Amino acid sequence: MSRRTTFLIVALMFAIGAAVRVNNALVFSPVRAYDGYAHFSYIWFLARNWRIPLPTSGWEFFQPPLYYAFMAWLWDALPGVDPLMRLKLGTLTMAMLGLVHAWVSFLLVGRALPGNRIAQVAAAAMMLFLPVHLYSAGFLGNEYLCAIFCSISFLALLQLLDRPTALRAAWLGLWLGAAMLTKFTGLVAVVGTFATIGARTMIRREWKSGLKTMTVCGLVVLACCGWFYGRNIMLYGTPFKMSRETFVLARYEHIQTKGRRTIWEYVLFDPVILRRPQWPRGVPLVQETPLLVPYNAAAESVLTGLFANTWFDGYGGWVLPSISTSDTVRHAGQALMTLGMVPSLLVVLGFAVGIRRLWRDGWDDTVVAMVATFVAMIAVVVQGTSSVATHAAVKATYLLPVSAVFGFWFALGLDWIQRRHVRWVRPVLASCGVLAILSTAVFLQGRTIAQSWFADSWLTPIWLNEYGVIYHAGGDDERARDYLQQAADQDYHLGFENLASLSIDDEPMRSLYYMRRALELQPSQSLGTPWDRELFNHNTAAEYLNTMAVIYHRLGEDAAAENALSRALANDKNLPEANYDLALLAALNAVAGPSSKVAPARDAWLARSRRLLFDTLVLDPAFREAKLLAATLEAIDGDCDDARAALADAKSMHAPRLYPVDTGVGDMLAASIKRRRYITGFPAALDPELLVPLCKPAQAAQAEKDAQDAAQAAPGANAS
């Protein structure tokens, strides 16, 4: 194949691959990706606050921030653009940058197999038309960007190995640090890099050069991402802090079906997947009651799951209609997976060829780097799928950081076929070509076999509500109200809840009606095991009742507000907002009448307010309004020094709230507009800005009061 022909073929492939990615990024709704709403919540949080959230405060908030910072910047930079389009432009950017995998694979194969342009072109084609790359092009999430940085780091590593310099080591460290600041799985590139440099240093005994290179590279990596992982170590004692132990995520994992994780689940392959392209076979991903079906290690094997999700929508019903509802989709899956066996076997063959090449010919920078990174990726997959044994955790997108490595192994396998079995080359290339065409056709979303799959007519109340929240976040409350009303028209509780949030300022009575309706509907629409549902329902009822109390207070019905708050705390005594609201109402009761007539009651109300404020600040030490109210109570008691200290402390408070009040935790089944509300503002009788500067010590205040009482009781006082 001539250089000109190679260029034309590669250019044509890149053009087609780019066109498919552009289409998919613009057609696919980003929040319908894996954990899409949770990823959006992180973006929304950064766009509103521009600070890194606590890892355990939300579903995806444990993730490193680089991807989300870019998406939040784009979100803020385009305030007049449709909110969903802003997210699509972000995913489109990632999809186009993802073309780098094909280019890196092309260059890596060129180094290892100089002159074999067929293998180079084939490696690039695999990256351009691999189904998982095509169908995930519109996904919201940090995996794509992490994979991009990892692929670029492979080139930077090989450049460094060609000529070790401090500048090249720093350049490599920059890409590795960016990968680690995007997703934890960037660790595979870091491990592969340092394993390669370290092994070469020991084999060649180039101690000075090798140690200098690793030191410079390591320092730059730490400069890029060390602050984030250092914070995790300081707060939690581990650099890789997850949110899995939080209730918001645990209640989903409790109802997700699980496999066993013995050696067989990693080595067995289920051939039935070629006939029935859905994984796991015979087992749903979500099941609220225990399954009574015999376990089949092959049918539920991790290897089969990764294969199914690499070459098709193996879970079913995610980016394509389920195979049980569409024979066209089922046949497409059968064809893709059957044809996908050819490049998959070539990848396995290529890996074996690479190991044999090292054994026979000795050191090879490219092959060693690929082996080290690939082994690190396998270790991460095994560790991840064994620690979280749910079937839903077996995603092919987790392998994206080593995309270029797969292209490299594929090319080595093809090269072996070219050298050993020439008559097989044309059938192999023909089958791969058909696979590329079929993959392009099947996953040209909205244009071929799933033309209406992403239309609004398919949206369930869950998605309608999510879209409403997203449009509110983007500043388009009119469009948000339309989506939320559609959800409410189907008696979906979150639709009513969020309509209440949009009405709370202008139409409090209407808002109260919506909240009552949401409270009525919610228990029958929750999800989880019986214990989880009960806990979730109690917590949600507490949040709803607290919001109702805020509305009652605005309507001037403080007795009804106190009743709602008492019910809220009976459901969830650990709700900071309910504790604070009840503390504020207790303080209002304390200052409601003439002190001479209500002194005993006044002291009781103040004592209650203090207890509730103490509970509030224990539950959430960064609740600023609670600190301000505490300053007011200190001033009322005449503890002026404490009052001034509390006021200063509240004003200087910058610590983040434990709960992300503005955005929620990223739970799609709790997607809401500022669910945890509280009574804002202080009446003049409780305003710390007024009371604290006028504070008088308790003894002086008592003396002044005694003097006033004596003057009133003196003879002739009434006459005067």
Side-chain angles (χ1 to χ4, degrees), residues 49-231:
N49 301 286
W50 283 108
R51 59 177 173 78
I52 310 302
L54 294 172
T56 55
S57 62
W59 188 308
E60 292 286 351
F61 287 8
F62 68 91
Q63 301 277 11
L66 186 55
Y67 167 80
Y68 303 95
F70 167 77
M71 293 294 290
W73 167 81
L74 188 66
W75 178 270
D76 283 347
L78 302 171
V81 177
D82 179 274
L84 275 178
M85 180 55 67
R86 293 185 227 174
L87 298 178
K88 289 182 178 183
L89 291 175
T91 59
L92 174 60
T93 303
M94 297 299 121
M96 298 309 293
L97 291 175
L99 294 172
V100 75
H101 302 308
W103 183 241
V104 170
S105 294
F106 184 86
L107 295 179
L108 291 176
V109 175
R111 285 178 59 101
L113 303 172
N116 191 340
R117 290 175 180 160
I118 291 177
Q120 281 185 276
V121 172
M126 183 181 182
M127 293 296 98
L128 289 169
F129 304 113
L130 191 68
V132 67
H133 281 183
L134 297 184
Y135 75 65
S136 66
F139 279 17
L140 199 63
N142 54 349
E143 290 173 330
Y144 232 70
L145 183 59
C146 177
I148 291 164
F149 290 140
C150 287
S151 284
I152 296 175
S153 72
F154 298 150
L155 293 183
L157 170 61
L158 295 176
Q159 289 177 343
L160 174 64
L161 295 176
D162 286 343
R163 185 162 61 88
T165 65
L167 182 60
R168 291 189 175 193
W171 180 244
L172 172 59
L174 181 65
W175 293 110
L176 293 174
M180 287 291 291
L181 198 57
T182 304
K183 189 173 174 63
F184 291 162
T185 48
L187 181 65
V188 300
V190 175
V191 171
T193 292
F194 281 89
T196 302
I197 299 174
R200 191 171 105 149
T201 298
M202 288 188 294
I203 289 174
R204 298 189 178 183
R205 300 187 180 278
E206 298 172 345
W207 303 108
K208 183 178 179 180
S209 174
L211 292 175
K212 177 183 176 181
T213 296
M214 288 190 286
T215 299
V216 172
C217 182
L219 288 175
V220 174
V221 171
L222 289 175
C224 290
C225 66
W227 60 270
F228 174 80
Y229 292 96
R231 181 200 70 160

Side-chain angles (χ1 to χ4, degrees), residues 492-528:
Y492 190 49
H493 71 282
L494 289 175
F496 282 109
E497 176 195 346
N498 289 319
L499 284 174
S501 291
L502 292 182
S503 307
I504 195 169
D505 293 323
D506 301 326
E507 299 178 282
M509 285 298 294
R510 181 184 294 273
S511 179
L512 187 60
Y513 162 74
Y514 286 143
M515 285 306 304
R516 286 173 173 167
R517 187 72 177 127
L519 181 63
E520 176 186 0
L521 292 170
Q522 186 275 325
S524 64
Q525 297 177 355
S526 61
L527 168 146

Side-chain angles (χ1 to χ4, degrees), residues 253-266:
E253 291 192 352
H254 290 163
I255 60 169
Q256 290 176 342
T257 56
K258 298 176 177 62
R260 301 171 190 170
R261 292 295 180 260
T262 67
I263 185 63
W264 302 113
E265 281 72 33
Y266 294 100

Side-chain angles (χ1 to χ4, degrees), residues 437-685:
I437 294 171
L438 184 61
S439 175
T440 301
V442 170
F443 292 108
L444 188 63
Q445 293 168 350
R447 311 296 177 189
T448 52
I449 66 174
Q451 295 182 10
S452 62
W453 183 241
F454 306 108
D456 278 6
S457 58
W458 283 80
L459 294 179
T460 63
I462 292 174
W463 295 114
L464 290 168
N465 178 71
E466 280 193 25
Y467 281 22
V469 174
I470 291 169
Y471 275 95
H472 165 75
D476 189 348
D477 278 355
E478 182 178 350
R479 188 79 179 274
R481 196 182 299 274
D482 178 60
Y483 277 115
L484 295 173
Q485 188 62 60
Q486 292 181 59
D489 289 343
Q490 300 181 53
D491 279 343
Y492 190 49
H493 71 282
L494 289 175
F496 282 109
E497 176 195 346
N498 289 319
L499 284 174
S501 291
L502 292 182
S503 307
I504 195 169
D505 293 323
D506 301 326
E507 299 178 282
M509 285 298 294
R510 181 184 294 273
S511 179
L512 187 60
Y513 162 74
Y514 286 143
M515 285 306 304
R516 286 173 173 167
R517 187 72 177 127
L519 181 63
E520 176 186 0
L521 292 170
Q522 186 275 325
S524 64
Q525 297 177 355
S526 61
L527 168 146
T529 63
W531 185 90
D532 285 345
R533 291 183 87 167
E534 181 180 7
L535 178 59
F536 182 76
N537 290 348
H538 277 296
N539 291 348
T540 305
E543 291 167 332
Y544 282 6
L545 287 164
N546 176 72
T547 298
M548 291 169 64
V550 172
I551 300 172
Y552 280 128
H553 176 71
R554 292 189 181 189
L555 293 171
E557 300 180 21
D558 281 358
E562 289 182 32
N563 178 265
L565 289 169
S566 296
R567 293 169 59 197
L569 291 176
N571 278 279
D572 181 10
K573 65 181 180 180
N574 295 320
L575 183 61
E577 289 75 11
N579 280 281
Y580 170 77
D581 289 338
L582 202 51
L584 180 63
L585 294 182
L588 279 173
N589 286 330
V591 298
S595 60
S596 59
K597 296 181 180 180
V598 295
R602 171 182 177 275
D603 291 342
W605 282 118
L606 288 175
R608 187 185 188 196
S609 183
R610 289 190 202 93
R611 288 195 302 270
L612 290 164
L613 276 182
F614 177 81
D615 291 342
T616 302
L617 291 170
V618 167
L619 294 168
D620 192 343
F623 202 137
R624 185 171 182 271
E625 287 76 4
K627 282 274 190 181
L628 290 171
L629 182 56
T632 294
L633 298 185
E634 297 290 358
I636 290 174
D637 284 344
D639 296 328
C640 300
D641 291 340
D642 290 342
R644 284 188 284 270
L647 181 60
D649 187 24
K651 288 183 174 181
S652 63
M653 184 177 290
H654 299 293
R657 290 281 310 272
L658 295 181
Y659 182 91
V661 177
D662 293 328
T663 65
V665 296
D667 181 354
M668 65 181 296
L669 298 184
S672 57
I673 297 171
K674 203 167 184 177
R675 170 175 288 190
R676 290 198 177 183
R677 294 181 176 272
Y678 54 89
I679 299 171
T680 56
F682 294 98

